[in-house]
Amino acid sequence: MLLIRCPWCGEREETEFHYGGQAHVAYPADPEALSDQEWAEYLFFRDNPKGAFTERWVHSSGCRRWFNAVRDTATSEFIVEGR
Amino acid sequence: MRLPTGGRIDRATTLRFTLDGVERTGFAGDTLASAMLAGGVLAVAPSLYQRRPRGIVTAGVEEPNALVQVDGEPSLTATTVELVDGLTASTVSGVGRLSPLDGQVHDKKYVHTDVLVIGGGPAGLAAALAASAGGARVMLVDDQPSLGGSLLSDVTVLPWVSSAVADLSARPEVRVLTRATAFGYYDSNYVLVAQKRRLWHVRARRVVLATGAHERPLVFEDNDLPGIMSASAVRTYVNRYAVLPGRRVVVQTTNDSAYETAFDLTSAGARVVSILDTRLEPPADLVARATELGIEVRADRLVRRAQGSSRITAVSTQDYDLGCDLLAVSGGWSPVVHLFSQSRGTLRWDNTLAAFMPDTATQANRVVGAANGVYGLAEALAEGAAAGSEAASLVGFPGAEPELPPVASREATPPRPVWQVPSDPARCFVDLQRDATVADVLRATGAGMRSPEHVKRYTTIGTGADQGRTSNIPALGVIAAALGLSSPGELGTTTFRAPYAPVSFALMAGRNRGALHDPVRTTPIHPWHVEAGAVFEDVGQWKRPRFYPRAGEDMDAAVLRECHAARTGVGVQDASTLGKIEVVGADAGEFLNRMYTNAFKKLPIGSARYGMMCGPDGMVLDDGVTMRLAEDRFSVTTTTGGAAKVLDWFEEWAQTEWPTLDVTFTSVTEQWSTIAVVGPRSRAVVGRLAPSLDVSNEAFPFMTFRNTVLHNGIPARIARISFSGELAYEVNVASWYGLATWRAVLAEDDITPYGTEAMHVLRAEKGFPIVGQDTDGTVTPHDLGMSWIVSTRKDFVGRRSLRRPDAVRPDRKHLVGLLPVDPTIVLPEGTQLIAQNVPLTPPVPMLGHVTSSYRSAALGRGFALALVKGGRTRIGETVVAPLGDTLIEATITEPVFYDKEGARRDG
């Protein structure tokens, strides 16, 4: 079980968090203007790198805040954590 | 045989125990195995598959043979069971039998520590002393009853051990766990430790692994005979337990360590016939000591075959036989790298030590002592002390080199490993517990397998309860030899996985069993339901009354009566479990507009509106009624099971996509009790309950709410909301008034409480879907026939998906009604639906399935809701529900069965 440093609460057990997938996939400003292909890419397509990955976490059993983190998907090491 | 003197046992305390029905005795300090050996019991249950005689082989956790069932606990090893008075054990082949827990309590403890030292042998003790010297929190974990590790097997225990233990126990920040096995090493230095019935969850900033080494067996013909033991185990039995496992002993070794066994056996009065050493030149100093003691040492010698039927009587070497009743074997040493490997540390093969060694750590740990291939006592002590000191300084505490005992250092002569002898491969055992032989390995490699992972699964070697602690490396040696490789190093190991030692499910579960398995949520009105004899169902974690049977009623009868009351008189339901979220802020309306398919921004204060929510994929996520309490304040209700999910959903979108919106969310589910008052007579009931409220349809229309005070002084928020199609009210009060309000409603004449089952029937008669029952994450609002709720004038989450090509396919599954042609039939929910006259040879094309199905009091028949491909174009068609061998015909209808024009809503 990972020990995750919540930017607001400090280090807490992984069970207090939920994973939110890849970060920086913004909700399109005007979804209606997108083609089916573009909308499908927003909806379904995500990166899956081995190594550093920018992703979202939420401290759901704590402060309930969302934050971004860079995690190494091969080692589960949190490389960069920020608010 | 018990020796007259010596040993770390308390001869003043005799313990009685029963083994396989025979009463025996031992001493305090014995293990079950040492007491058995003291009583002359070497044999254990025969092997699992070949039923060959087997005996005790080791003195520790690596034991493959001596499986016992102790006082109802299965699959323990006699070598690790501490003897206690009154213990009852039976030897078992392979598997034991679980017994009920009988009130046994298993517990968990969660601790954080600066430094965790695993293993209380010389290296671990030195590490713990060094790490704790400067005030760091240190935890030392060891699986034995007392600390000392390998030192406990010496003739006399180094006095330093007791002074080290005393020093550690005097330090307030040190916690020592004995009889505690660290069995799992997970991410971020998270280590699980089993200590009898307590499971420790340990989070450590640094870990020092001083887990020792296991002695390996040798693979030769009939190497499974009772009386063949690990040489180090023999030494442990002699010195620690004062037990002589044999009187005429042959020692077979590939390395220096077994010489000490021979010497100590001789001192204890046994006759060591011969030391057979695989090495061409055994070390001169050891040979000299052996000669002094009258022990013959033979170089370049290897046992090829053991003789005997139920116990060893002789061994055969290349050219001669030796009579014996005990063969002490050392096939070399394997560092216990299990936990290090679990921590994702990498291993490397060391050709000189002939062992897999820790290589690169990926977590904050260090391996010391025998676990790191450092077998010399002086070197292990020094390495442990250095690692302990380093660990302390890495976490910000001064480490200090502890006082170490002066011990002589001796240069070891490298071992000469042997992986296989030329004998009958079907009688050369590689894994005793799995009864797997060299022949099994050859069958695997002969079939073309090259990877140890494949051979392991094909032969089952290493898959027993002992997880191949003694068999893995010999198996790799045999595989390597079969493949013409020079050493196991060219193969690599199989993966080490937790648990290192068997752990019971009861320990994992702890107290989270039975009623404590999952939290149980009840409403403030719950005591009344219990008193009324309600039958409950679980909805998420909530207990909800399903129906209230009267004497002699079954569920069908009770539900028909409850439905009838709600349609003709007044029914009441405890609806407090509905999720309730207050959405507050200047942008609360805008936020709800973006989340729901329909609009809320312009909802008037005092009004309520049903809303539906989709995921970005356009599939229905949740639904419920929202009331506008003030310009900047809404009260949202969710499904009972969806409350937490919807709150998380709101938070996610508000925080991550629209952080500039002024909106906050508060769960108020537990703060309100909600009572649904339903039926044509409900207006009169609510009128008397809230005398100051004008309940006329004109003053208090559908989908509005009013704040009022009930006749008993309780403040209430009453809404006109209907989930049944009938005239209905929801009375919301502060949860602490819930029970009093419920009683006040029930004080009226002829009120029928109803449960979730009747509620489901009433709403299904009206074709109202339940999210999660009539939908499953693949259903859009259009599929439900609810296009009216999808706004065309604003964006909302999921809107764009509703015109994806997949979302507008004409053959999507639509929610429709279904009437069995035979009105007495109630189709089981989940029943598949197929077309008429299709051949019933698989694969039969499926049209859809039944999502809700009930018997209706109002309709006087069975009816159902179903998701059917292109369902709305099939209204009036007949489909077939195959139920076992019978085919049941049903007609597709509109999903609204009762009061289609909605005449009953306003009373």
Side-chain angles (χ1 to χ4, degrees):
Chain A
M1 180 163 48
L2 297 174
L3 191 65
I4 297 172
R5 187 184 300 277
C6 169
W8 308 94
C9 307
E11 287 182 338
R12 295 291 189 276
E13 304 281 6
E14 182 183 345
T15 50
E16 294 189 11
F17 297 83
H18 277 112
Y19 182 62
Q22 182 173 354
H24 309 309
V25 182
Y27 185 69
D30 184 4
E32 293 301 318
L34 301 186
S35 68
D36 284 341
Q37 174 69 30
E38 288 165 333
W39 179 249
E41 275 172 19
Y42 160 72
L43 209 50
F44 301 122
F45 286 69
R46 297 292 183 270
D47 297 336
N48 185 24
K50 180 179 181 180
F53 188 47
T54 309
E55 56 195 19
R56 307 186 310 157
W57 288 83
V58 59
H59 192 190
S60 32
S61 301
C63 62
R64 304 187 61 79
R65 297 245 208 161
W66 284 84
F67 58 94
N68 290 336
V70 179
R71 186 179 62 97
D72 187 312
T73 58
T75 64
S76 287
E77 182 196 357
F78 279 72
I79 304 162
V80 180
E81 291 148 298
R83 291 189 171 185
Chain B
M1 185 194 103
R2 185 80 71 180
L3 294 165
T5 57
R8 253 70 76 200
I9 46 169
D10 175 10
R11 290 173 197 261
T13 309
T14 300
L15 305 176
R16 290 163 297 115
F17 70 102
T18 308
L19 177 72
D20 291 332
V22 180
E23 294 207 4
R24 301 179 176 279
T25 60
F27 293 124
D30 262 327
T31 63
L32 178 56
S34 69
M36 285 165 68
L37 289 169
V41 181
L42 175 70
V44 295
S47 70
L48 179 57
Y49 301 109
Q50 299 198 32
R51 311 307 294 178
R52 289 171 65 98
R54 290 286 162 82
I56 296 166
V57 177
T58 73
V61 68
E62 67 271 36
E63 174 64 32
N65 279 349
L67 290 173
V68 286
Q69 172 118 5
V70 178
D71 295 330
E73 215 175 324
S75 295
L76 302 178
T77 43
T79 51
T80 58
V81 172
E82 205 178 332
L83 197 65
V84 291
D85 198 49
L87 177 141
T88 303
S90 50
T91 55
V92 287
S93 298
V95 288
R97 201 154 300 198
L98 275 174
S99 304
L101 288 171
D102 289 337
Q104 279 180 24
V105 175
H106 293 76
D107 231 328
K108 295 177 185 174
K109 227 171 141 73
Y110 294 80
V111 292
H112 290 255
T113 188
D114 293 319
V115 181
L116 170 66
V117 180
I118 300 172
L125 279 173
L129 281 173
S132 60
R137 277 180 306 174
V138 173
M139 197 161 169
L140 174 61
V141 170
D142 189 83
D143 64 351
Q144 292 288 314
S146 34
L147 297 173
S150 61
L151 298 176
L152 298 174
S153 298
D154 288 341
V155 181
T156 49
V157 176
L158 207 59
W160 173 80
V161 171
S162 48
S163 71
V165 171
D167 282 357
L168 287 173
S169 53
R171 292 179 184 170
E173 295 297 330
V174 175
R175 169 140 49 187
V176 177
L177 302 185
T178 54
R179 302 179 174 92
T181 305
F183 65 85
Y185 195 137
Y186 306 91
D187 285 312
S188 313
N189 271 354
Y190 193 64
V191 178
L192 291 186
V193 180
Q195 189 185 37
K196 296 209 149 201
R197 300 219 171 100
R198 178 177 289 170
L199 180 62
W200 294 79
H201 295 247
V202 185
R203 185 76 79 172
R205 299 176 71 192
R206 297 287 309 179
V207 174
V208 178
L209 292 158
T211 44
H214 288 154
E215 197 170 39
R216 295 197 291 255
L218 284 169
V219 178
F220 51 87
E221 190 171 323
D222 292 343
N223 60 336
D224 62 332
L225 264 179
I228 300 174
M229 294 177 72
S230 145
S232 63
V234 170
R235 185 162 178 264
T236 299
Y237 285 120
V238 170
N239 292 337
R240 182 168 170 186
Y241 301 107
V243 169
L244 207 53
R247 290 167 175 282
R248 193 177 159 81
V249 188
V250 171
V251 175
Q252 166 73 65
T253 189
T254 63
N255 62 88
D256 291 356
S257 66
Y259 282 79
E260 295 296 334
T261 301
F263 302 155
D264 292 349
L265 276 167
T266 308
S267 308
R271 162 109 173 82
V272 176
V273 181
S274 192
I275 298 174
L276 308 176
D277 197 322
T278 56
R279 294 173 292 188
L280 304 178
E281 284 181 45
D285 58 334
L286 296 178
V287 174
R289 270 181 73 193
T291 311
E292 259 172 53
L293 292 168
I295 307 170
E296 169 197 67
V297 177
R298 297 289 199 108
D300 193 18
R301 277 294 183 284
L302 184 60
V303 171
R304 294 201 163 176
R305 188 161 67 86
Q307 299 177 31
S309 51
S310 62
R311 176 165 186 159
I312 192 167
T313 55
V315 295
S316 307
T317 69
Q318 292 101 311
D319 38 24
Y320 58 91
D321 290 0
L322 289 166
C324 65
D325 63 358
L326 180 70
L327 173 63
V329 177
S330 180
W333 291 85
S334 296
V336 178
V337 294
H338 300 61
L339 292 175
F340 177 75
S341 185
Q342 285 178 27
S343 80
R344 282 183 281 109
T346 59
L347 304 177
R348 66 178 171 86
W349 177 258
D350 186 301
N351 231 0
T352 307
L353 292 173
F356 283 103
M357 305 270 295
D359 192 7
T360 310
T362 57
Q363 293 203 39
N365 61 30
R366 186 174 286 286
V367 189
V368 295
N372 196 30
V374 175
Y375 299 124
L377 178 56
E379 294 79 4
L381 285 165
E383 189 182 42
S389 170
E390 174 202 53
S393 64
L394 283 171
V395 297
F397 288 88
E401 291 284 320
E403 199 183 317
L404 296 176
V407 276
S409 174
R410 177 185 170 274
E411 186 77 17
T413 305
R416 183 189 178 203
V418 177
W419 303 115
Q420 208 182 327
V421 297
S423 300
D424 178 2
R427 292 172 66 171
C428 293
F429 283 82
V430 178
D431 187 329
L432 297 179
Q433 196 166 104
R434 305 300 309 182
D435 256 354
T437 64
V438 171
D440 295 317
V441 174
L442 295 179
R443 209 169 293 127
T445 54
M449 290 172 209
R450 293 291 178 274
S451 158
E453 298 282 3
H454 291 156
V455 176
K456 169 182 173 170
R457 281 155 184 79
Y458 188 76
T459 60
T460 75
I461 288 171
T463 62
D466 64 343
Q467 286 289 287
R469 275 186 284 273
T470 55
S471 63
N472 273 340
I473 304 299
L476 291 171
V478 173
I479 299 168
L483 296 177
L485 305 173
S486 65
S487 82
E490 295 184 46
L491 283 169
T493 64
T494 53
T495 308
F496 294 95
R497 292 192 179 89
Y500 166 69
V503 181
S504 71
F505 283 115
L507 184 69
M508 294 285 191
R511 290 174 188 258
N512 299 12
R513 297 191 286 122
L516 297 180
H517 174 63
D518 201 32
V520 172
R521 301 177 77 183
T522 58
T523 74
I525 307 170
H526 188 75
W528 190 95
H529 305 318
V530 174
E531 240 173 79
V535 173
F536 290 91
E537 74 167 335
D538 293 335
V539 182
Q541 292 171 330
W542 289 101
K543 292 280 177 207
R544 298 198 72 181
R546 192 171 186 199
F547 56 97
Y548 300 82
R550 288 185 181 164
E553 274 186 343
D554 60 5
M555 180 168 113
D556 274 2
V559 171
L560 285 173
R561 173 180 51 74
E562 290 172 13
C563 288
H564 182 74
R567 290 258 184 252
T568 60
V570 186
V572 291
Q573 188 191 16
D574 179 1
S576 307
T577 62
L578 282 181
K580 294 173 276 288
I581 302 168
E582 283 211 4
V583 179
V584 180
D587 297 317
E590 171 63 25
F591 178 81
L592 293 177
N593 255 18
R594 297 183 189 186
M595 298 309 297
Y596 282 92
T597 61
N598 50 336
F600 283 88
K601 208 171 171 176
K602 292 176 185 156
L603 181 69
I605 295 165
S607 283
R609 182 169 292 162
Y610 172 78
M612 184 164 271
M613 203 185 308
C614 292
D617 58 0
M619 303 302 157
V620 174
L621 198 77
D622 205 80
D623 68 345
V625 171
T626 292
M627 295 183 276
R628 187 167 210 161
L629 308 178
E631 185 58 32
D632 63 348
R633 185 174 292 258
F634 292 80
S635 175
V636 169
T637 59
T638 72
T639 57
T640 294
K645 181 180 68 182
V646 171
L647 181 62
D648 287 349
W649 190 237
F650 284 176
E651 287 282 9
E652 178 178 345
W653 283 87
Q655 286 184 37
T656 68
E657 296 293 347
W658 307 311
T660 56
L661 290 187
D662 171 17
V663 60
T664 59
F665 316 96
T666 308
S667 166
V668 292
T669 304
E670 306 265 1
Q671 279 64 37
W672 291 93
S673 275
T674 303
I675 298 164
V677 184
V678 177
R681 288 201 297 110
S682 60
R683 177 170 285 131
V685 171
V686 171
R688 285 192 293 276
L689 189 67
S692 56
L693 191 64
D694 181 350
V695 293
S696 69
N697 194 47
E698 297 67 38
F700 188 3
F702 185 60
M703 279 298 183
T704 60
F705 68 90
R706 300 289 180 259
N707 292 316
T708 184
V709 176
L710 306 184
H711 64 66
N712 51 10
I714 293 174
R717 180 190 295 156
I718 300 181
R720 268 198 64 197
I721 295 166
S722 179
F723 196 38
S724 58
E726 297 298 325
L727 174 68
Y729 298 82
E730 274 185 14
V731 182
N732 295 282
V733 295
S735 54
W736 51 86
Y737 292 132
L739 187 54
T741 307
W742 177 266
R743 289 189 197 283
V745 175
L746 266 288
E748 294 279 330
D749 282 344
D750 201 19
I751 306 264
T752 303
Y754 68 93
T756 51
E757 196 63 23
M759 180 260 283
H760 284 182
V761 179
L762 296 170
R763 64 89 203 177
E765 287 169 348
K766 288 290 293 176
F768 297 150
I770 289 187
V771 174
Q773 173 160 343
D774 301 297
T775 73
D776 60 3
T778 67
V779 179
T780 69
H782 299 303
D783 296 339
L784 291 175
M786 296 174 72
S787 302
W788 55 269
I789 206 167
V790 180
S791 168
T792 53
R793 289 197 295 274
K794 64 168 182 92
D795 189 33
F796 56 86
V797 172
R799 183 188 191 208
R800 175 64 184 82
S801 287
L802 295 177
R803 52 181 188 87
R804 290 180 60 235
D806 186 62
V808 295
R809 277 187 296 113
D811 65 339
R812 287 191 65 83
K813 287 182 181 174
H814 300 149
L815 187 74
V816 291
L818 203 58
L819 289 174
V821 173
D822 176 350
T824 64
I825 287 180
V826 178
L827 292 167
E829 289 171 357
T831 304
Q832 294 288 327
L833 300 171
I834 60 176
Q836 279 182 306
N837 304 318
V838 293
L840 292 178
T841 41
V844 182
M846 296 295 167
L847 288 181
H849 65 279
V850 176
T851 58
S852 296
S853 181
Y854 314 96
R855 189 181 307 284
S856 165
L859 307 175
R861 65 178 344 278
F863 75 107
L865 297 173
L867 285 168
V868 176
K869 275 183 189 168
R872 281 197 294 277
T873 65
R874 294 176 188 264
I875 305 285
E877 285 182 23
T878 300
V879 290
V880 174
L883 266 186
D885 290 334
T886 49
L887 298 175
I888 294 164
E889 296 193 323
T891 309
I892 295 181
T893 69
E894 296 284 348
V896 184
F897 298 92
Y898 184 74
D899 183 31
K900 286 180 189 171
E901 54 289 342
R904 308 184 61 82
R905 192 190 74 189
D906 294 330

